[in-house]
Amino acid sequence: MAEIVITPDVQHAISSDLANHYRVIPKHNTNDSLELFVDDAKNNSEISEELELLLGKQIILESISSLQIEKALSVYYRKDRQLQTSKSFSLDKGDFLENLLSEAKSLKCSDIHFEVYEESARIRFRIDGQLIERYKIERENYLELVNKVKIKAKLNITEKRLPQDGRITNESFDIRVSILPTLYGEKIVMRLLGQDASNIDLSSLGFKQEELQKYLEAVKKPNGIILISGPTGSGKTTTLYATLRLLNDSKRNIVTVEDPIEYTLKGINQVQLKEDIGLTFASALKSFLRQDPDVIMLGEIRDSETALMAIRASLTGHLVLSTIHTNSAVGTISRLIDMGVPSYLIAETLNLSLAQRLVRKLCNHCKVEVDCDKDDFPMHYTLPYELTKHHKAVGCNHCYHTGYSGRTALYEVVNIDNAIAEKIKHNTITKLFSKDKDYKSLADKAFDLLASGETSLDEIYAVLINM
């Protein structure tokens, strides 16, 4: 059974309402006619007459199986998530940008990409960590759309040679806007940010009970540093805000410096980073120490100056929370040493190192069990234990034929006790964990998830290959 593949410009020739009501999928679209695949169980003549009246075009129908139609509707016209007010793609409509943002929010999209090429342009949504093409745009209409975004973000519409960053405040969410000049025009990435973090809770993030206990033990200390590592989009900021929400009470003074401020929390003093005027993480941290803080949150430790300032803040009786870019919780310690932080200071101040990743979970309705072949794993990865079977993604109506439904978090938690602190002082931390049978790395946690049938090898391959 051949799979139906349609491009975004053809997809938007008909609305989600009409596609689902008449069980049709567009095949080819011109100014005068529209070719549609139709469910072979439907009455073609009635559908043709009604659609010609509604769309004002000649309708040409081609019958295919109900199963093919069902699959295509699930992939291209997600009835329960699709923005119902979106009738068709047209830049002539003044509310197109507003509808686009509402659609992205309803689809739980994290980023919107506007991209321009030599002959055309497109819009893609990042959903559950994956980019999906949603719209094609005529090149001559792209500049108008870019200008609308710039005006909303209060950016300079005449500046086309330099990158620009801005922000759009919506009713229910904020949007960070980044504009980058490319070969054929300006590329835009819009990051959708939730305004309110009052409902984020540590217990709902995916921690195992033992991991959560270790994390809470470190958080409850009055001073020291807690570092969270992971790539962009791994949920580090969400974990930080959930921690701040836990610590936030009338007895504590909490200050943060962020780039950008992704959520707002009542009772917390949040500062937006502005490097162009000298407000960096390091300079903000110096000012924070004169603000009588109890808890300090730094969006990211990027350089040795910020790292040393964070160490100094924790030594003077403050609890410091931050993120850092490393592949593992153990690697965070090595990264700090590489930044020039003395190992004895790390041992003295680091409460906990946490590494995390987000992986998609297999759809329980369609996943299938397959034989395990060691050759499918990364070349240098050693399986922690024997595995004869695992599951792979297939795709069905329940998961919109992606094979996955939702995401879960993987955590590697290293709580710095006296034994580990001694190893850090003598720079033998790696040897300690290589001999510890109870210690589980992110790769081990990912492999456990694979063995339990919750995710696929394709989804955790990147975690395994980086360990």
Side-chain angles (χ1 to χ4, degrees):
M1 181 179 67
E3 183 178 340
I4 298 173
V5 179
I6 61 175
T7 58
D9 52 336
V10 173
Q11 176 186 349
H12 292 285
I14 190 167
S15 71
S16 177
D17 285 342
L18 291 178
N20 281 284
H21 178 73
Y22 291 103
R23 292 182 64 78
V24 293
I25 300 294
K27 179 183 179 183
H28 183 67
N29 182 37
T30 67
N31 291 332
D32 303 317
S33 65
L34 178 61
E35 294 181 40
L36 298 166
F37 292 115
V38 64
D39 191 332
D40 56 14
K42 290 282 188 178
N43 186 320
N44 286 13
S45 60
E46 287 184 6
I47 291 174
S48 179
E49 289 175 7
E50 290 182 24
L51 286 176
E52 282 182 355
L53 284 172
L54 289 168
L55 301 176
K57 289 184 177 185
Q58 180 188 3
I59 300 298
I60 304 166
L61 300 177
E62 179 183 332
S63 295
I64 59 173
S65 72
S66 297
L67 192 59
Q68 285 176 293
I69 287 288
E70 192 66 42
K71 183 173 181 179
L73 286 173
S74 182
V75 172
Y76 297 106
Y77 298 99
R78 303 184 177 191
K79 191 173 181 181
D80 62 332
R81 296 184 189 173
Q82 180 78 355
L83 186 69
Q84 297 302 315
T85 57
S86 179
K87 298 298 179 186
S88 63
F89 171 74
S90 174
L91 276 174
D92 296 332
K93 297 180 180 180
D95 60 352
F96 169 73
L97 188 56
E98 287 75 13
N99 283 346
L100 179 76
L101 296 175
S102 297
E103 179 185 13
K105 186 67 175 177
S106 69
L107 289 169
K108 297 180 180 178
C109 164
S110 62
D111 300 88
I112 307 171
H113 289 242
F114 299 75
E115 299 164 315
V116 61
Y117 302 101
E118 186 174 7
E119 296 179 354
S120 65
R122 66 179 178 180
I123 297 174
R124 294 192 291 172
F125 288 177
R126 188 177 292 280
I127 302 171
D128 285 342
Q130 305 293 309
L131 279 171
I132 299 169
E133 191 170 319
R134 294 294 294 172
Y135 294 100
K136 279 219 181 282
I137 305 170
E138 294 296 328
R139 192 177 153 77
E140 53 266 27
N141 293 328
Y142 185 75
L143 180 59
E144 179 188 347
L145 185 58
V146 170
N147 285 338
K148 284 183 177 180
V149 173
K150 283 184 175 180
I151 290 168
K152 274 189 167 291
K154 297 180 175 59
L155 298 175
N156 184 356
I157 63 171
T158 63
E159 179 56 75
K160 303 180 188 301
R161 301 167 300 166
L162 296 172
Q164 294 190 74
D165 293 305
R167 196 177 184 96
I168 298 173
T169 301
N170 204 292
E171 289 182 3
S172 58
F173 58 98
D174 282 358
I175 301 152
R176 183 181 68 188
V177 179
S178 173
I179 299 180
L180 181 72
T182 65
L183 180 61
Y184 296 109
E186 292 174 291
K187 171 181 166 62
I188 302 174
V189 175
M190 303 174 78
R191 167 66 61 89
L192 277 62
L193 311 170
Q195 285 186 333
D196 185 15
S198 59
N199 295 321
I200 300 175
D201 190 77
L202 277 172
S203 60
S204 64
L205 297 185
F207 280 102
K208 300 290 188 292
Q209 188 59 38
E210 184 184 351
E211 295 168 345
L212 184 58
Q213 285 177 350
K214 286 182 178 179
Y215 188 74
L216 291 176
E217 186 180 322
V219 167
K220 289 175 182 177
K221 292 181 180 179
N223 57 277
I225 300 178
I226 293 172
L227 290 178
I228 302 174
S229 65
T232 301
S234 60
K236 301 188 300 295
T237 303
T238 302
T239 303
L240 277 178
Y241 276 106
T243 308
L244 290 177
R245 180 176 174 269
L246 177 72
L247 295 169
N248 188 18
D249 60 37
S250 59
K251 299 175 184 177
R252 289 190 178 95
N253 176 24
I254 302 176
V255 288
T256 76
V257 58
E258 306 165 58
D259 184 27
I261 297 173
E262 297 196 20
Y263 300 93
T264 56
L265 272 172
K266 188 177 180 180
I268 290 179
N269 307 287
Q270 296 173 269
V271 177
Q272 169 67 50
L273 192 75
K274 294 177 182 176
E275 292 186 326
D276 54 333
I277 60 171
L279 183 55
T280 62
F281 284 123
S283 63
L285 190 49
K286 288 177 184 176
S287 299
F288 284 176
L289 295 177
R290 295 190 289 271
Q291 288 284 319
D292 186 31
D294 297 294
V295 180
I296 298 171
M297 193 269 267
L298 297 174
E300 184 184 346
I301 291 179
R302 296 175 178 172
D303 50 45
S304 57
E305 184 185 6
T306 309
L308 289 166
M309 283 295 299
I311 293 284
R312 192 180 305 167
S314 65
L315 283 171
T316 53
H318 307 93
L319 182 64
V320 180
L321 310 174
S322 190
T323 68
I324 191 168
H325 282 287
T326 59
N327 284 331
S328 67
V330 178
T332 294
I333 298 166
S334 302
R335 177 81 177 110
L336 289 172
I337 293 171
D338 291 342
M339 283 182 171
V341 180
S343 55
Y344 71 90
L345 284 181
I346 300 172
E348 193 73 27
T349 58
L350 189 62
N351 291 350
L352 179 136
S353 177
L354 174 76
Q356 67 180 83
R357 299 289 189 279
L358 287 177
V359 296
R360 291 184 296 169
K361 295 189 293 184
L362 285 167
C363 173
N364 288 324
H365 294 90
C366 63
K367 66 181 180 182
V368 296
E369 194 174 58
V370 295
D371 291 330
C372 182
D373 188 341
K374 291 182 180 179
D375 293 336
D376 293 337
F377 289 84
M379 189 182 301
H380 301 296
Y381 179 71
T382 304
L383 275 64
Y385 50 87
E386 189 176 348
L387 187 66
T388 57
K389 302 279 186 180
H390 64 86
H391 291 77
K392 73 172 185 177
V394 177
C396 66
N397 290 339
H398 292 92
C399 61
Y400 305 115
H401 292 273
T402 62
Y404 299 91
S405 179
R407 291 194 288 180
T408 189
L410 298 174
Y411 293 100
E412 177 190 351
V413 183
V414 176
N415 208 336
I416 310 300
D417 56 23
N418 291 333
I420 295 175
E422 282 299 315
K423 294 294 181 182
I424 293 174
K425 285 179 184 178
H426 297 94
N427 208 10
T428 55
I429 186 72
T430 307
K431 293 179 183 178
L432 174 69
F433 286 103
S434 63
K435 295 176 182 178
D436 188 351
K437 294 180 180 179
D438 295 327
Y439 167 73
K440 283 197 170 186
S441 65
L442 277 174
D444 295 333
K445 300 283 181 70
F447 189 83
D448 288 345
L449 211 61
L450 174 70
S452 67
E454 291 183 64
T455 193
S456 68
L457 179 57
D458 288 340
E459 190 64 15
I460 65 165
Y461 196 90
V463 179
L464 301 182
I465 205 167
N466 278 329
M467 293 297 116

